[in-house]
Amino acid sequence: PGKRAHLNDIFELVNSAIDSLKPKEKIVVRLNLLHGMKHRDIAEALKMPVNTVSTTIARAKEDLKVKLRRKGIKDL
């Protein structure tokens, strides 16, 4: 139960952190991290340049890491 509770806490923190992103970032990050879409496929689906998708994902991941570290999760 202890490990499962800890994983549930992490899951909730990640979801909360993703929900706090800007709408465009949220969509791009969810497609990439949760649905496993590649940058090129996201760019085509959202009619965005691939470099914009890549930059958005990189910035959002860094932002998520910072937010999770503030909550005490450091092993990312």
Side-chain angles (χ1 to χ4, degrees):
K3 186 175 183 178
R4 184 175 210 88
H6 182 64
L7 289 176
N8 284 338
D9 290 343
I10 292 172
F11 180 79
E12 290 301 321
L13 286 170
V14 169
N15 271 333
S16 176
I18 289 173
D19 284 341
S20 72
L21 296 172
K22 295 173 186 171
K24 179 182 80 169
E25 293 174 339
K26 193 183 310 187
I27 293 167
V28 170
V29 168
R30 285 188 191 275
L31 290 174
N32 180 248
L33 297 180
L34 302 179
H35 298 285
M37 287 181 71
K38 296 182 182 197
H39 296 198
R40 183 185 71 246
D41 297 331
I42 294 168
E44 288 176 13
L46 299 179
K47 309 237 184 296
M48 297 170 63
V50 175
N51 287 342
T52 301
V53 170
S54 297
T55 300
T56 299
I57 290 170
R59 288 179 182 161
K61 282 183 177 180
E62 190 56 39
D63 187 45
L64 288 171
K65 285 180 186 180
V66 168
K67 288 176 181 177
L68 292 172
R69 284 186 187 124
R70 286 182 190 150
K71 297 285 187 176
I73 299 174
K74 298 177 182 170
D75 298 328
L76 297 174

